[in-house]
Amino acid sequence: MKIFMEKPKTLSVGGVRVPIDTDFRIMCEYAQAINSKDTDEITDIAQRFFYAGLPEGVSGADMALAMNDFYVSGFVPDEEERERTRKKAEQEAELTDEQKALLGKRDSVPVFDFATDEAYFLGAFMAVYGIDLNTAKLHWLDFCALFRALPDECRLKQIIGIRATDTTKIKSREERERIKRLKKIYSLSGNQKDVLGDALREMMLKKKQENQ
């Protein structure tokens, strides 16, 4: 396994290597656009991401899957694990709402949001790494690596930990109530959803329809 290699500047789309803009800001904007289901914004971001254009014959579904895989690779570096995620999304895409309900499927609770938590991201990267995200030039994968490596004691990681805490597993009533109060303080808007899961499921359905 090769390590500490230069990060990729191209992406395979429909079997063709295509140049991409790897700036972390584009992927942050992409996550927000997917979350808000803003198709016009997603189209604009895709055009900036694939700045050199796409080869003829490449489907919109292939483009979307490639772009989403690049986004996910920042948080799930292991390719085999990403493949398992894709297969799971493909299987769930074929489930009816009734089947999802019977299986107890529900949206994942988001634990961070680039727009809502912008100040915390800025503060964390400046305090820990001396990096000003307003001016920094970072590859998406480097940004995610630094994000994952932030120490647990930084404010951003603490807030993420609060949002991720399952209060039903806290035995102490006082602690449970304390965490509940903190979760309300740091809660994200009610229309937030699992960016990865929703995007993958929609893309899998689109690709399946195009192949029919």
Side-chain angles (χ1 to χ4, degrees):
M1 177 181 179
K2 296 181 180 180
I3 59 175
F4 300 120
M5 300 290 291
E6 184 178 3
K7 301 301 186 294
K9 296 180 181 179
T10 62
L11 204 60
S12 178
V13 184
V16 180
R17 301 302 301 185
V18 179
I20 58 173
D21 188 335
T22 62
D23 184 70
F24 75 97
R25 295 173 184 83
I26 290 183
M27 286 292 97
C28 292
E29 293 173 13
Y30 171 70
Q32 299 304 119
I34 286 290
N35 189 52
S36 62
K37 300 185 183 300
D38 187 336
T39 54
D40 290 337
E41 181 67 13
I42 293 172
T43 300
D44 176 69
I45 293 170
Q47 289 175 343
R48 286 188 286 131
F49 182 68
F50 296 108
Y51 64 88
L54 292 169
E56 291 186 11
V58 173
S59 70
D62 282 336
M63 178 198 72
L65 285 171
M67 190 171 179
N68 201 73
D69 189 66
F70 182 72
Y71 172 84
V72 175
S73 67
F75 301 103
V76 189
D78 184 76
E79 189 171 348
E80 290 185 2
E81 187 174 349
R82 290 204 305 279
E83 182 61 27
R84 288 194 294 271
T85 301
R86 282 192 289 268
K87 288 181 178 179
K88 181 180 178 182
E90 187 172 7
Q91 291 171 350
E92 290 187 2
E94 298 178 358
L95 294 176
T96 64
D97 290 339
E98 183 178 359
Q99 288 172 325
K100 290 179 182 179
L102 289 172
L103 291 171
K105 299 290 181 183
R106 58 184 180 182
D107 289 334
S108 299
V109 177
V111 293
F112 69 87
D113 178 88
F114 291 119
T116 302
D117 298 326
E118 181 180 5
Y120 295 117
F121 274 95
L122 285 169
F125 274 67
M126 180 63 76
V128 177
Y129 305 119
I131 296 175
D132 183 353
L133 291 180
N134 290 314
T135 58
K137 294 182 179 180
L138 284 174
H139 191 291
W140 169 244
L141 300 184
D142 289 331
F143 169 81
C144 289
L146 293 171
F147 176 25
R148 297 197 308 273
L150 286 171
D152 291 339
E153 57 267 22
C154 83
R155 193 62 175 162
L156 177 60
K157 277 294 192 71
Q158 290 176 346
I159 292 172
I160 289 174
I162 290 168
R163 291 172 180 157
T165 300
D166 183 353
T167 55
T168 63
K169 296 182 179 180
I170 301 176
K171 294 182 179 180
S172 169
R173 180 178 178 181
E174 290 184 1
E175 179 64 10
R176 186 166 59 250
E177 293 303 316
R178 185 182 76 85
I179 295 298
K180 283 183 178 180
R181 288 194 297 271
L182 290 173
K183 286 173 80 71
K184 287 182 179 179
I185 292 172
Y186 296 114
S187 67
L188 297 171
S189 57
N191 63 354
Q192 293 279 340
K193 292 187 178 180
D194 174 17
V195 172
L196 165 60
D198 283 355
L200 276 175
R201 281 187 283 274
E202 289 184 17
M203 290 171 189
M204 290 296 182
L205 278 173
K206 185 177 180 181
K207 186 170 180 62
K208 183 179 179 181
Q209 292 168 353
E210 288 183 353
N211 291 334
Q212 288 178 345

